[in-house]
Every structure is written in C-alpha cells, then in structure tokens.
Amino acid sequence: MNRTAGEFRELYGYSPEGVWAAPGRVNLIGEHTDYNDGFALPFALPQRTEVAAARRTDGILRLHSADVRAGVLTLDAAGLDPARPPRGADAWAGYPAGVAWALLEAGLPADLTGGADLHVRSEVPTGAGLSSSAALEVATALALTGLHGLTPPSPELAALARRAENAYVGVPCGVMDQMASACATEGHALRLDTRTLEQRHIPFDCAAAGLGLLVVDTRVRHALADGAYAERRATCHRAAAALGLPALRDLPYAGLEEALSRLADPVARRRVRHVVTENERVLRVEESLRAGRLREAGPLLSAGHASLREDYEVSCPELDLAVATAEAAGAYGARMTGGGFGGSALALIDAEAEAEVTRAVTDAFVRAGFRPPRVTAAAPAAGADRIL
Ligand code: ADP
Ligand code: MG
C-alpha cells in the first residue's frame, strides 16, 4: 500500500478515499518576473508532496503532516478565517486550511463545508527554494476537489492555491510556483505567461541530449529574504507606474535603454534592467530548447545569475559559490533558482560530469567554511495528479 495512505489509516483509524500528489519545482529561467506579469520557464521535480484524504460530514477539517512536529489540528471547515490562521507549531496548517478557505470562497459546486481528514507526507525539502509550499497547496487543492469528483482546470487550481498563500498564509508570492506544480509535464519545461496564464510545454529532455541537471540546496536561508522580496516588488511596481506602464512586462527589450534614461533612481534602474533582460532570456532559452540546442541555454542561465547578483541583488555568498564552482567544473551554465538569499542553485552539466561537479561544489563549500550543500540530480517530471 502507498505509505501516505497507510499512515492515514493508522492516524485516523480508517482508509482514505484517495491520495493526490503535487511536485516541487525548479525554475530554469525567469526569476522575479512573475509579479511583473512576465515570463518564466519552470519544470517540475521528481520529488512530490502527497495528500491522503477522506470526506467527513460533520463540518470538521482535520490536518496532519508526517513532516512537522505537531499533532492533528482540528478546525471548523465553515469557520476558516484568513484573519485567524493557525499559529505556532500549527502554522504549517495555514497552507492546507488556506486552500480549503480559497475553494469555499470560490464557491465550487461541492459541499466542502462537510469537512475532511487530511494527512500529508512530502519528499520536497522545505525552505530550499524548491516550492514545498506550492506542492502542499496544489496537492491539497487536488485532494479537496477530487474528493467531490471535481476536476477544475489546472491553471484554475493553481490560482486558488496562490490565493491561499497570498490571502490566508500572508505570503505575497506570484503564481509561478503553483502553475509549475499543477501544470508541468514530464520531459518538458513549462513556458508561462504570468499575465494571461497561457502555458506552453517545451520539450526539455536533458538525458537524450547527454546532459544532466544538478540542484544544489545551499541549506541556508538568510533573514533578509522576506523584506527584500516585498521591497523588490514595490520598486518594480513603482517603476512601471513611473514609466506609465501597467507592469514591467510591457517594457520591450528594445525600449530598455530609453526607459532607463527616464528613471532617476539608480536602484530602480538596476531592478528594471534585471526584469526586462530576464524576460528576454526566458524567450531565448525557450528558443534554444525548441531548436534542440540545449547547451545554448547554459550561457543564458549564467547571465541570469549575474543579473540577479548585480542588478537585482538577491543572491548570497553560498549561491554565488555554488554557481561559480559549477561553472569552473565545466557546467554549461548555472544560476540561483527561486527567490534568493539562500535556497537552491541549478546547474546544466554533461550527464557524465555529475559526480565531478557534485564533488567540486561540496569541496568548495567545505573550504569556505559553509555547511555542506545537498546536491541532487533533477529531471523534468510530471505535474500534480491523483495517484491512488
Ligand atoms: P519553499 O516553498 O521554498 O519550500 P516556503 O517558506 O515557501 O519554502 O514554504 C515552506 C513552508 O511550507 C514550511 O515551513 C511549512 O510551513 C509548509 N510546508 C511545506 N511542506 C510541508 C509538509 N510536507 N508538511 C508540513 N508543512 C509543509
Ligand atoms: Mg514557497
């Protein structure tokens, strides 16, 4: 039997009606573009979060995770309130409770107020920039709708999951993570237009091209992260307004220099330059993947990292070291992935160089006095689905 289902049965004393799974993600390119209505190109990881679930009829929502030190949290399904999310050791439960709240708010044609029992188990490391939060939200959204025989379109589920994180958990994230987890397909990267939610599945079969992808989890998350994110977001929105644009997405690459000359603040100029060049890099990486020239994506990834480090200023010494060492060890390209200030880096390498690059990065961290990173091979995997 599926392990998550077995644990559900031990915990609640009866079998779940099903198990739903949603993956973590890595963003290949297109960082800090999603709150600027721009483009991103994430892919789903093989690591997933599973949610075993069953309906109740008494209005109670019970939540439990194998991955946190907290007991079963019991909530009133009809009384979920974004002003009073679970706190302390139960704070994790804000993600699934927020999803239940967002589904109820959306008025889906099913009686979710009947309640449910949920048990969560995940392979996605938390806080590593690999979007364990979106995996948890999307798996929960699939479970709660699936229990009632509903199968909303994946972009709709992703939008609801994001609403849960924004409005209930209180994290002002864009929609990329949830879209990647909900909509990605195996062997493909997901080219996302975060304004229209249009998605294109771009073939990205590294193995067939003799290539590999390494994810380097630095295992650090610097305290600056949340405040810096909010500040970058605000700067971008102010700059777009100053340029008379709805969003920085509307500034074409060809018009960048002229637009920069109209911005007085040097910090805003750097932030705008990152966003506009990053959108352009997404389109160019997409082109190279479509043409089957995967190695050509490498230098674009590295240019993306330089832009995040110099112009957007969201990197950190651990991420810079991971990227520089991977490049020196022969990677075609490497970059930080996710919001920054820690989390993970991604490297595009020759498949046969996996052990060598892993060793080089690990040794460099030891020499620098950093905690050893967690290095894993990745390949574009499938998006969320019912698995039992
Ligand atoms: P990331 O999404 O990069 O992993 P976040 O800070 O956005 O980092 O989300 C991590 C949080 O999501 C955790 O601190 C926890 O509250 C919640 N979470 C994610 N996965 C699980 C899980 N399997 N069980 C319980 N909580 C989880
Ligand atoms: Mg997250």
Side-chain angles (χ1 to χ4, degrees):
M1 197 199 216
N2 167 282
R3 180 175 178 185
T4 312
E7 288 176 348
F8 179 105
R9 198 168 51 185
E10 263 178 43
L11 187 68
Y12 295 119
Y14 69 101
S15 291
E17 293 180 67
V19 179
W20 290 262
R25 65 96 189 93
V26 165
N27 192 16
L28 182 60
I29 190 84
E31 214 66 77
H32 288 279
T33 50
D34 66 349
Y35 51 82
N36 291 300
D37 281 4
F39 304 113
L41 193 62
F43 62 88
L45 286 169
Q47 289 85 359
R48 305 199 286 188
T49 297
E50 295 185 2
V51 173
R55 279 168 295 179
R56 299 177 63 96
T57 52
D58 56 2
I60 286 175
L61 178 63
R62 291 198 292 182
L63 303 170
H64 183 263
S65 169
D67 306 309
V68 296
R69 260 189 262 270
V72 175
L73 180 67
T74 300
L75 299 168
D76 169 13
L80 296 171
D81 181 355
R84 292 181 297 113
R87 298 196 191 280
D90 293 324
W92 77 272
Y95 295 87
V99 169
W101 169 80
L103 290 168
L104 283 163
E105 283 268 305
L108 281 161
D111 189 15
L112 299 167
T113 51
D117 285 339
L118 266 61
H119 171 66
V120 176
R121 157 170 292 286
S122 182
E123 301 163 333
V124 186
T126 54
L130 303 177
S131 223
S132 68
S133 59
L136 175 55
E137 291 151 13
V138 171
T140 303
L142 264 192
L144 289 177
T145 51
L147 282 175
H148 293 273
L150 301 173
T151 50
S154 322
E156 206 174 289
L157 271 187
L160 285 165
R162 179 217 184 167
R163 174 132 201 266
E165 187 155 343
N166 288 172
Y168 199 93
V169 185
V171 176
C173 59
V175 76
M176 169 180 65
D177 298 348
Q178 292 82 3
M179 283 291 288
S181 184
C183 309
T185 53
E186 190 177 355
H188 294 77
L190 183 71
R191 206 286 248 160
L192 260 184
D193 180 329
T194 64
R195 169 172 281 167
T196 63
L197 296 194
E198 181 215 4
Q199 31 168 331
R200 302 183 192 164
H201 300 274
I202 317 292
F204 185 38
D205 189 347
C206 291
L211 298 176
L213 292 159
L214 278 187
V215 174
V216 180
D217 173 6
T218 63
R219 300 167 79 200
V220 297
R221 180 170 162 84
H222 294 288
L224 296 157
D226 295 343
Y229 182 88
E231 189 214 300
R232 300 296 184 282
R233 227 182 132 101
T235 302
C236 287
H237 293 167
R238 269 200 311 272
L243 293 168
L245 301 168
L248 290 181
R249 142 71 174 275
D250 300 297
L251 179 52
Y253 183 63
L256 177 60
E257 289 308 320
E258 187 276 330
L260 293 181
S261 72
R262 285 193 283 135
L263 290 172
D265 174 15
V267 172
R269 281 204 295 270
R270 290 205 300 277
R271 305 295 188 253
V272 169
R273 188 164 58 195
H274 167 73
V275 173
V276 174
T277 58
E278 185 78 350
N279 276 329
E280 179 70 10
R281 280 185 288 273
V282 173
L283 304 181
R284 289 176 57 194
V285 170
E286 178 187 359
E287 262 173 40
S288 67
L289 300 194
R290 281 188 186 284
R293 294 196 293 267
L294 272 52
R295 286 169 181 76
E296 286 177 14
L300 294 161
L301 303 189
S302 291
H305 185 76
S307 177
L308 287 160
R309 187 186 63 218
E310 303 297 325
D311 277 347
Y312 223 63
E313 298 177 282
V314 291
S315 190
C316 65
E318 294 87 350
L319 287 168
D320 290 342
L321 184 64
V323 167
T325 311
E327 287 170 349
Y332 291 101
R335 61 182 288 274
M336 54 159 275
T337 180
F341 301 103
S344 297
L346 176 71
L348 179 67
I349 60 170
D350 271 325
E352 58 199 31
E354 193 183 306
E356 190 185 323
V357 178
T358 301
R359 196 172 336 104
V361 172
T362 308
D363 288 352
F365 269 57
V366 172
R367 273 199 304 277
F370 297 153
R371 258 216 304 173
R374 207 180 288 126
V375 187
T376 46
D385 208 352
R386 182 173 191 154
I387 58 169
L388 196 77

